[in-house]
Amino acid sequence: MKKPNLLIKQIGMIVALLLFNLSFAQNATVTGVVSDVNGAPIPGVNILIKDSSKSVVTDIDGKYNFSNLQNGTFDFIASYIGYKNVEFKMDVNGNVIKNITLIEDTNVLDDVIITGVINPRTKIKSSVSITSMNTKEIEQSAPRSTAEIFRTIPGIRSESSGGEGNSNISVRGVPISSGGSKYLQIQEDGLPVLLFGDIAFATADIFTRFDGNVARIEAIRGGSASTLSSNSPGGIINFISKTGKTEGGTLSTTFGLDYENFRTDLDYGTKIGDGLYFHVGGFYRSGEGVRKTGFNSNNGGQVKFNVTKEFEKGSVTVYAKFLNDRAVAYMPMPVQVSGTNANPNWTSVDGYDATRGAMQSIYLNHNVGLGTEGNVRREKVANGMHPISKSIGANATFDLDNNWKVSDNLRYSANSGGFISPFPAELGTASAIASSFGAGATLSYANDGTAFNTPNGLVARIHMFDTQLNDMSNFMNDLRLTKKIDNVGITFGFFKSMQNVSMSWLWNSYLQEVSDTNPRLINVTDVNGNLLSENGLYAYGTPAWGNLARNYDTQYNVSAPYVNVSFDASENLSFEGGVRYDNGKATGSFTGGTATQYDINNDGVLSAPENNVFAVNTANETPVNYTYDYFSYTLGGNYLLNAKQSLFARVSRGASAKADRILFSGLDYLDGNKINALDFLTQTEIGYKQKFDKGYLYATAFSSKTDEQAGYEAGANVIRQNNYKSLGLELESAYDLSDNLNLRGSMTYTKAEITSGTDEGNEPRRQPKLMYGVMPTFKFMDRKNTLGLSFIGQTKAFAQDSNQLVMNGFVIVNGFVEVGLTKGLSVNLSGNNIFNTLAITESEEGSITENTVNYVRARSLTGRSISMALSYRF
């Protein structure tokens, strides 16, 4: 028995030694600190070991720690947004210390894009024109609104003079014919904010806010946009949210130094379990804003949340958003023009600063009238653009067996709110306005009864755009199934959307003096001494425009199957194409208005305005029940000349369907073949991409042709119908001139022409030939502080399609300086329109009487504003 017992003991000792050695072999560690070139630690850096599930994120001190590693050789990758990836191989034996230095990356052609593509690709390998901007690049242009962010994207014209929404956004010479972003989709995490970008008084940017939740913005022009989203043949701007995989957050407070505004932003994300991450953030702000409205014009905020769970072969993200914000809406305002149509001199009106003034006033706090149910309703003018959005959604992606992949992105948004703002339907002298009410009529101030005596002698006929957004809710679902067969990828997709468009137009008319400091309301009295108005209100309706009390209750149900095929012909040559079929069904009703008598103020006496109250005619609805359909296609190819150069070409065609913009013209809304529901856009583009060691160059030549049917434009009160064509060139570049100095820039040249109608051969209104942006950034004092400038400009453009009155070119200079106070804490001083340039973006009038003083209604960019922000990154 001794020999077996001895053998058992020996085996036991061997096993114990093996376990002892194995325990040491599994207990190797790799630790270190990740810092920038100046030695400052970088929190939130993701470090992973290739071909394994092991990854860590640096803490607030930039430290990381891999534990319980087996001795051996490993490949590590360290990555962080805005910095170049660092890859290194290292032999691990016991405890190892490895510090890592990251270098800032200006070479965005290596960025992996996800917008407008089926499978994520680097820019240099994609056959689309795309721009991506991280938060640092966005802050460099010192934007005051979401639309101002888009000013630096080549090919995109963003008229940001309307405030925090209601902006006109176009691409590559495609016309702005109805307001909003008719041919371009604004998306959040890959799904449209609204199905239609040009819904009157409910444009997509009204329901979109930029804050600390956004990781980056991607914008594509042309390309595959027509087949990968509905109503987006011109392009897509996609707001991509942070996920929490990069641990950390920011607390920031911003306040105006020369205007009233206070805003606080807070966001944070982190890993909360094995493969489980979350991110939450939002903002709240309050203040009058840069223009003088006399009340708290901007008041509200947003909260967004998402949680992501990663699995072995996929991931699921669930997200939610709550937006309840009020932002002032700036309409065209009085501007003085002299000289000639071809060489005008644009200046402010005496008593009204076009860069700081507003039509809002403390004397016009509410708009009162009959609501859609026939009841008296009252709306605060201070509500301005008031979007309310409650959204919940999910995004799931999984790699299946046999090279199959499935993804689904869905979201439901309960949208509602309102839009209210005074619109100057007419500017005139006191005598001209008074005489419009009859010979001998006189004007007096409504607040004290004294005779009208404003120094400039001007009166504005105000139409109060008071629109209730009753229900703008939507459901979006984009399902994709992809099969990879060798070097061919085939994707079958199905997009489903239901968009409600339920709104009420409840407009009234007022008289108001022209002043940039709380303009007073004006009453009118006839020759017999009878008062024709009450506290400045002379009509419950808009008689100068034929009265526009209206109500829509419609729903648009869209089904869109699509197929996309990619083919890698060789290591350097790839092709990609797709087709899409959109089928839409519009149902519901709309109605106009009718006149009635109603004692609105309930004083027992019918005043002159109360004898003709215009209200929604709920008893006389027009039914809407029609369908529309269209095919879209795209075909592109990319050739990689070498690791740093590529060429691409693409042709595409798509359409944009109309919603409320055609519910005016008395057509047969029960027959889709008789409804001018579609506008088509065809584009061709050729591009070149070049990487440098310290930068990149991106160039695209494009051609576009627009076949546009009639659509109504509120404000101008006209129906527009034209065809257009354009040729142009986009340039985008960035380069590190030195270790401390970086230069980014963009430029778009566009030659556009109207090709039909009475204005054939003219240039489309408000389309400059040249738009550009130049943005230098300089780091100083050991690169811990940053000074940045941006020069955003354009050449002249015509006010209207008639090509008479010229709007002068301009350059807007913005700047900022950011100083690091201590670890994670910085202060930022930024200025927008530093030189207070009068920059006209649109004009209601298309011509002037030459060599005299004219008063027109125009929108200008906001004047100089200086703000300061204190930020803590943790």
Side-chain angles (χ1 to χ4, degrees), residues 785-798:
N785 308 305
T786 306
L787 173 67
L789 291 171
S790 67
F791 303 86
I792 310 296
Q794 67 177 55
T795 55
K796 67 179 182 180
F798 289 108

Side-chain angles (χ1 to χ4, degrees), residues 77-81 83-87 101-103 105:
I77 301 176
S79 61
Y80 188 66
I81 295 175
Y83 291 83
K84 296 179 180 180
N85 289 355
V86 172
E87 299 187 28
T101 300
L102 296 186
I103 301 173
D105 186 11

